[in-house]
Amino acid sequence: MSILETIKSRFRPVLSELAPRTSSALLEMIRPAQESRFGDFQANFAMPLAKQLGANVGARELATNILNRVKLDDFCEVPEVAGPGFINLRIRDDWLIESLNKAVADPRCGVQATESPRTYVVDYSSPNVAKPMHVGHIRTTVIGDALDHVLRFLGHRVISDNHLGDWGTQFGMIIYGYKHFVDRAAYVEHPVQELGRLYRLVNKLVGYFDARQQLPELRGQVQQREALLSRSQALPESDKKRSAELQRSQRQLKEAQDALQETEARVRELESEPKTAALLAAHPRIADDVLRETALLHGGDAENLRLWHEFLPNCRDEIQRVYRRLNVRFDFEYGESFYHDQLSVVVDRCLQSGIARESNGAICIFLDGFETPMIVRKSDGAFLYATTDLATIEFRARTWNPDVILYVVDHRQSEHFEKLFAAARQLGYHRIDFRHIKFGTILDDQGKPFRTRSGDTVGLEGLLDQAVQKAHEVICRLDDEKRNGRELSEEQRARIAEIIGIGAIKYGDQSQNRESDYKYSLEKMVALDGNTITYLQYSHARVGGIFRKAEVDRAGIRTSPGSIQFALPADRALAMILAQFHQALLDVIVDYRPNLLTTYLYDLAKAFHVFFENCPVRDAETEALRTSRLKLCDLTARIIEIGLSLLGIPVVERM
Ligand code: ARG
């Protein structure tokens, strides 16, 4: 058990007795102390609890009473009640030293596997194949990968399943493209590239007609908002709401105008390219035709099925290349096509169980609390994304009997998942804890969704190359500036740059609050200062340097006799953070937030640097202190190594 869990477990019985309904919230008020003069942990529950229990109970008195009933002396100093009733706890040095001695000798650095493992299905990455992977796929892939690793490391059973979009409209697009525009020679030479070209071409043409169709509505919106603006302008000057209203309608009008302008510009741009214009004229019904090709495929049309079977392995190879470079692996890749046969079965089951009924020819599940129903079969007989997801739940429940299913998917799909989970519960899957692990958008430096100038989203591979190149510059500079001249060969530099560059993209993403949008800045991601992969790798490599200089074997130090000791405050401060690795991992899986691990690693690296400034290692006063400090250094490096590996990032030994 982590230290914090141990403390909570001691307070739990007493708090449950005093306040059965609020005890878990009260327990959450036990936290690491903000400042070391308050000890290591602080419990702030006495004040709210006193209020809850009634007027004649003082918080200080209550805190003291509770402390009299809680056993802590085996690992804490005598607790202190401060101010209006804060309980300050300081971990006993002998206990901390004992647990660090164990962590030093433990390959898992003191993190025990859970005694109550649960089964998790993690649905992540899940790109629509046949389109090249783009920047939008980073977040799901790296957040999902981190959660997968952390859960496994904590001893849970994890099944990762890449729910590939291998059956959707994008196949209608490449089938249409193949039938009308294929360049045979190019296809034979480089099928993936040619299919990618066909996808982009057809998508562009379909996009043109979509955009043109949207124009009347966008124009209508501008007019509507102009009217709203004049209404707010007409408000009397004395109206208090006037300026807020004005600002709001001005902003909304600007948004509508921007959207209209962008769409108009896009239409004009496509019309002005002679080649594109000719294609547009020759394929005026392309949007419908693409849908028809998709419907034919789903209906079992022999030719389209044959093409699909021919294309799919190529499309899969393409994304596998990216996964190899990102070093991401899945247990299963049951794509949407895998569930095709099950879709009508699922719809029948929904009808039989009474949770779905027909409405205007479509089969719908009506859900409490939602304005619109979840459609599972359209009036033309087509099944939807939601239908496949219901079939997927049935399959996963039957095959793996999970306790939890995590869906690491863009926040824009929130409504889909809320409805899906509600429908699944109506279908009887009460026991499964369904979670949408949502994330925000990656933005460019203007604050717009990250795209290249041409309007296409950035290819993921291109982005990885850029990051590696940037990392290479940083590594070379660092190496050139070394006091005794450069230490790394060209090959070493290139290898380190690959690890740091890819790591920068992963870590840069994982260190964000997943629900926020963030601005993509390579500059920041590879910077040597701040919460970056470069800083962490540097801290890790520094430990290697310490051992090389001291000519001590790292593995040997772990088993060498001698205990950790605290000679200076910085020894203990580092030790305290090292002892909380387990807690950091537990924190990650409370609400599935990898950024809590990156924050922990950053705090650890900072404490390590303070330690290293203040505590001589090689020149420690005694041999025993030297050994203790070397052990702390080694444990720091190992926790960084394990922590980064859980984020899917290998460490470099030097840089
Ligand atoms: N392929 C989908 C997309 O790209 C994501 C799928 C997420 N997983 C799921 N079970 N719906 O938007």
Side-chain angles (χ1 to χ4, degrees), residues 123-128 137 163-165 336 385 389 392 396 407-409 413 416-417 420:
D123 176 326
Y124 71 99
S125 199
S126 311
N128 294 333
H137 293 117
H163 188 73
L164 294 172
E336 293 179 359
Y385 184 50
D389 258 331
T392 308
R396 289 173 175 165
Y407 296 84
V408 188
V409 185
Q413 295 193 24
H416 164 73
F417 285 108
L420 178 69

Side-chain angles (χ1 to χ4, degrees), residues 18-38:
L18 288 174
R21 270 200 310 249
T22 51
S23 66
S24 7
L26 294 170
L27 281 170
E28 288 310 304
M29 304 182 76
I30 308 177
R31 301 209 184 102
Q34 296 290 340
E35 286 178 52
S36 58
R37 66 194 163 104
F38 299 132

Side-chain angles (χ1 to χ4, degrees), residues 226-253:
E226 278 167 351
L228 274 176
L229 178 61
S230 6
R231 226 175 301 158
S232 7
Q233 278 163 339
L235 287 173
E237 299 277 345
S238 58
D239 192 321
K240 276 198 230 100
K241 284 185 299 193
R242 187 171 191 270
S243 89
E245 286 285 314
L246 260 179
Q247 265 182 19
R248 207 188 49 199
S249 32
Q250 265 156 355
R251 198 190 58 234
Q252 286 179 339
L253 175 60

